[in-house]
Amino acid sequence: MSLPADLFRQLDLMVSERGLPSRSQLIAELIRHALVEHESLFRPDETLAGTITVVYRSERGRVRHLLSQTQAEFLKEVISSQHVVLEDDQSLEVLLVQGPAAKLKALCDAIRRVRGVQQLELVTTTSLLPPLYEPEPGTTQSTGVNV
């Protein structure tokens, strides 16, 4: 691979500032990031896993309630969430998500529409979570209804 000299210097500076052992490690990371972005844009049905990080103003729980409602609409995609209270009536929430790229984008768009959301970032990977639950072979799955 050949690069213009200025880009090569910037790459070496980035490797140094991050304390990475080699250029190759940084280049591999950048390529993986670009491939995931490509998957989300050009293969909207491709299943991705990742996190959505949201910073918002708490406003007496109204925003948190609206975010909970939004997450409920995407119950299959939202695996879990972690919430912490920040200074100045702000909150930070991190969602662990998995699903088709188009659904994750729709979830992000729905969260962005909640008034009070200040920042949102989706970070994805093509590596997936293992199935959370699979019935044992030869057993029937309970419907959860007792008669």
Side-chain angles (χ1 to χ4, degrees):
M1 174 184 348
S2 59
L3 297 171
D6 188 49
L7 191 56
F8 192 73
R9 280 191 295 278
Q10 289 176 352
L11 185 68
D12 278 345
L13 180 62
M14 194 176 196
V15 168
S16 173
E17 289 175 345
R18 288 188 179 186
L20 298 174
S22 70
R23 247 182 248 122
S24 295
Q25 187 172 344
L26 179 61
I27 290 169
E29 178 186 332
L30 295 171
I31 290 171
R32 277 193 286 278
H33 178 75
L35 289 172
V36 169
E37 188 175 333
H38 175 80
E39 292 288 328
S40 68
L41 292 173
F42 293 96
R43 294 186 182 94
D45 295 331
E46 185 77 21
T47 299
L48 303 173
T51 60
I52 299 173
T53 303
V54 185
V55 176
Y56 59 91
R57 288 227 168 263
S58 297
E59 298 179 21
R60 297 185 194 102
R62 181 190 67 78
V63 177
R64 190 159 186 205
H65 176 72
L66 293 172
L67 289 174
S68 293
Q69 286 180 325
T70 302
Q71 290 173 37
E73 294 169 16
F74 292 87
L75 202 53
K76 287 176 69 175
E77 291 75 30
V78 178
I79 309 291
S80 69
S81 67
Q82 178 74 42
H83 172 263
V84 294
V85 176
L86 302 174
E87 296 177 330
D88 302 323
D89 194 36
Q90 291 183 314
S91 290
L92 171 74
E93 191 156 345
V94 179
L95 308 176
L96 175 60
V97 295
Q98 180 169 287
K103 289 285 275 187
L104 299 183
K105 182 185 178 315
L107 171 57
C108 288
D109 291 344
I111 292 171
R112 279 188 182 99
R113 286 191 292 271
V114 173
R115 187 178 176 137
V117 169
Q118 297 175 317
Q119 290 177 266
L120 183 144
E121 182 176 16
L122 170 65
V123 176
T124 58
T125 179
T126 54
S127 299
L128 300 179
L129 297 165
L132 298 176
Y133 177 79
E134 287 186 19
E136 299 272 331
T139 62
T140 58
Q141 192 168 353
S142 171
T143 61
V145 177
N146 294 324
V147 183

